[in-house]
Amino acid sequence: MENIWDKKSKSYPKFTNSLSEFQIEFFDFLGSSGVDFSSKSVVDIGCGTGVYTLYIAKFAKSILGVDTSPKMLEILNQTASEFGIKNVQTKVGSLQEISENFDISFLTMSPALKDENDFAKFLSLGKTRVYMNWQAQRSSDLLEPFFAKFGRKNSQNTALKFENYLIKNKINYKSTVLEEFRTAKRDLAATFENVLWHLEINECKFDKNEVFEELKNLVKDGFIEENLSSSMKVLVL
């Protein structure tokens, strides 16, 4: 069976050598919290196509990008080559398969931390740790009607679970919540692929033809707009 993140790799955001307003706010908070990537060894867990990996590489001594998706890492390596970034290595694998230690362990928007064993492993990998994940369920005016119709997987968001773990173990940290509002515009084929992927990863039972027919009715001037609202928790420790 194809890795579900491999399916997403072609449409996943890529490194562009510039930061969005949200990303600027994110790195500003890290800087104000004492995080300095300069001349450091870094591991980026669940790095995907390397949007953050390759930005950090501009400052770090070295960075290892780890992901379970080979195709995501192929794109990361290709992009690194295009921008002449040479201090990046990649590894196909899971959090628990990382054996090295680093100055900074970095994890953003990844499902890699699932339980207390994962939390402890993540903390052990770096002297400084940076974590960002959902503070609340992301809202999409396009996807919510489909989730309501076909059901979705319900699970406690990992940011809350990890933060509770830190509190229970009396581990000090700095935190903030970052908000992002954006609009995505795609043609029918790209929207169809995106909706199917989200239904699949949320373990919904759905009919592809029914989804396609509903999406056809949303096309305006050749495109479908999706309005997204996200709330992310950042932890630095």
Side-chain angles (χ1 to χ4, degrees):
M1 182 179 176
E2 185 180 8
N3 182 317
I4 192 167
W5 290 100
D6 280 349
K7 291 182 181 180
K8 190 68 173 172
S9 60
K10 290 183 180 179
S11 61
Y12 207 73
K14 299 177 184 178
F15 173 74
T16 62
N17 205 29
S18 63
L19 298 178
S20 67
E21 289 185 12
F22 172 84
Q23 291 164 344
I24 291 171
E25 189 177 359
F26 171 55
F27 281 105
D28 281 349
F29 173 73
L30 298 189
S32 68
S33 300
V35 179
D36 182 3
F37 295 102
S38 301
S39 303
K40 299 295 196 306
S41 61
V42 183
V43 59
D44 184 0
I45 302 152
C47 61
T49 57
V51 172
Y52 288 127
T53 318
L54 298 179
Y55 176 76
I56 293 170
K58 297 196 298 183
F59 311 98
K61 176 178 68 176
S62 62
I63 184 164
L64 174 66
V66 180
D67 205 283
T68 59
S69 167
K71 290 187 178 179
M72 288 277 194
L73 294 181
E74 285 179 14
I75 293 172
L76 188 159
N77 286 318
Q78 180 181 351
T79 308
S81 178
E82 291 171 359
F83 282 93
I85 300 172
K86 299 180 179 180
N87 59 337
V88 176
Q89 292 184 317
T90 55
K91 174 184 176 70
V92 178
S94 67
L95 168 70
Q96 295 293 344
E97 294 174 295
I98 304 171
S99 57
E100 305 96 320
N101 292 108
F102 303 84
D103 294 316
I104 300 173
S105 53
F106 183 92
L107 185 151
T108 62
M109 314 314 295
S110 168
L113 301 192
K114 298 181 179 66
D115 54 37
E116 294 198 354
N117 288 332
D118 292 336
F119 299 155
K121 177 69 174 181
F122 174 66
L123 294 177
S124 73
L125 291 176
K127 300 172 187 175
T128 299
R129 305 88 162 194
V130 175
Y131 173 90
M132 179 169 65
N133 215 323
W134 306 113
Q135 166 74 2
Q137 192 74 52
R138 184 177 69 168
S139 174
S140 160
D141 63 352
L142 175 67
L143 293 172
E144 294 307 326
F146 288 106
F147 288 144
K149 185 170 188 174
F150 298 116
R152 74 183 302 171
K153 175 182 175 182
N154 292 315
S155 61
Q156 184 182 18
N157 78 78
T158 309
L160 178 60
K161 290 167 65 178
F162 185 39
E163 189 169 20
N164 286 340
Y165 172 85
L166 297 177
I167 293 170
K168 182 179 75 172
N169 289 279
K170 298 180 180 179
I171 299 172
N172 295 326
Y173 60 91
K174 298 177 181 178
S175 69
T176 191
V177 175
L178 301 179
E179 307 286 346
E180 183 181 36
F181 305 93
R182 63 186 178 89
T183 297
K185 194 173 182 179
R186 309 178 184 90
D187 63 21
L188 176 57
T191 303
F192 182 52
E193 180 181 351
N194 181 60
V195 170
L196 292 186
W197 186 87
H198 279 93
L199 291 174
E200 184 177 349
I201 201 170
N202 280 280
E203 300 179 6
C204 302
K205 295 182 179 180
F206 58 92
D207 181 275
K208 289 184 178 180
N209 293 329
E210 188 175 351
V211 172
F212 186 77
E213 290 302 316
E214 291 195 25
L215 289 175
K216 280 170 57 178
N217 296 325
L218 301 178
V219 177
K220 293 182 180 178
D221 299 323
F223 294 94
I224 298 174
E225 284 193 356
E226 178 184 15
N227 296 302
L228 297 145
S229 174
S230 302
S231 179
M232 277 77 84
K233 188 68 171 281
V234 184
L235 305 174
V236 174
L237 53 151

